[in-house]
Amino acid sequence: MSCLFCRIISGEIPSAKVYEDDQLMAFTDITPQAPLHVLIVPRKHIATLNELTPDDDGLVGAMTRTAAAIAKSNGYDASGFRTVFNCNADAGQAVFHIHLHLLAGRTLAWPPG
Ligand code: 5GP
Ligand code: ZN
């Protein structure tokens, strides 16, 4: 298995886990870009958003709701947070297993770089 996030999900590579259920795992980003920077990752390997099918709609919804729940549990629901999916080179996707970034705890500039 060569995919980094599949290896984290299997437990082969350690991570700072913040949430897991039968579909998802969430862990702290190794290079945090904000006081809270969590990656919400499906257990199912999907390389990019381009590979999503209608069967994945519930999964992506669960990822979004999980991000909001983690933001809330850290006290950032009212102050605000950002969720980001990067897709392919121009967006800077580095790990080809979809993941939703959750960033919070500082003012986040818009538009992003
Ligand atoms: P991307 O650029 O693909 O949207 O984001 C990949 C993210 O994965 C980056 O923010 C990077 O810091 C994070 N990352 C890369 N390798 C590891 C790792 O081994 N463990 C964890 N927890 N995060 C990682
Ligand atoms: Zn994978």
Side-chain angles (χ1 to χ4, degrees):
M1 200 196 310
S2 60
C3 170
L4 175 64
F5 286 175
C6 283
R7 293 168 75 190
I8 287 177
I9 286 162
S10 75
E12 182 190 336
I13 294 175
S15 67
K17 202 181 294 181
V18 301
Y19 175 80
E20 68 177 329
D21 63 24
D22 57 334
Q23 295 189 98
L24 305 176
M25 201 170 132
F27 48 85
T28 303
D29 195 291
I30 203 165
T31 311
Q33 302 300 317
L36 180 70
H37 187 174
V38 171
L39 304 173
I40 296 93
V41 183
R43 293 188 185 278
K44 176 183 176 185
H45 180 89
I46 303 169
T48 81
L49 292 191
N50 293 325
E51 280 72 49
L52 287 172
T53 73
D55 284 349
D56 299 316
D57 288 359
L59 177 62
V60 175
M63 292 171 73
T64 307
R65 277 192 312 96
T66 298
I70 294 169
K72 185 172 185 174
S73 70
N74 282 273
Y76 296 121
D77 50 330
S79 55
F81 58 90
R82 181 168 294 163
T83 53
V84 177
F85 279 108
N86 292 319
C87 183
N88 281 335
D90 279 1
Q93 184 175 3
V95 179
F96 288 84
H97 179 137
I98 64 166
H99 48 281
L100 183 58
H101 293 258
L102 166 63
L103 299 136
R106 66 173 174 84
T107 303
L108 298 160
W110 191 263

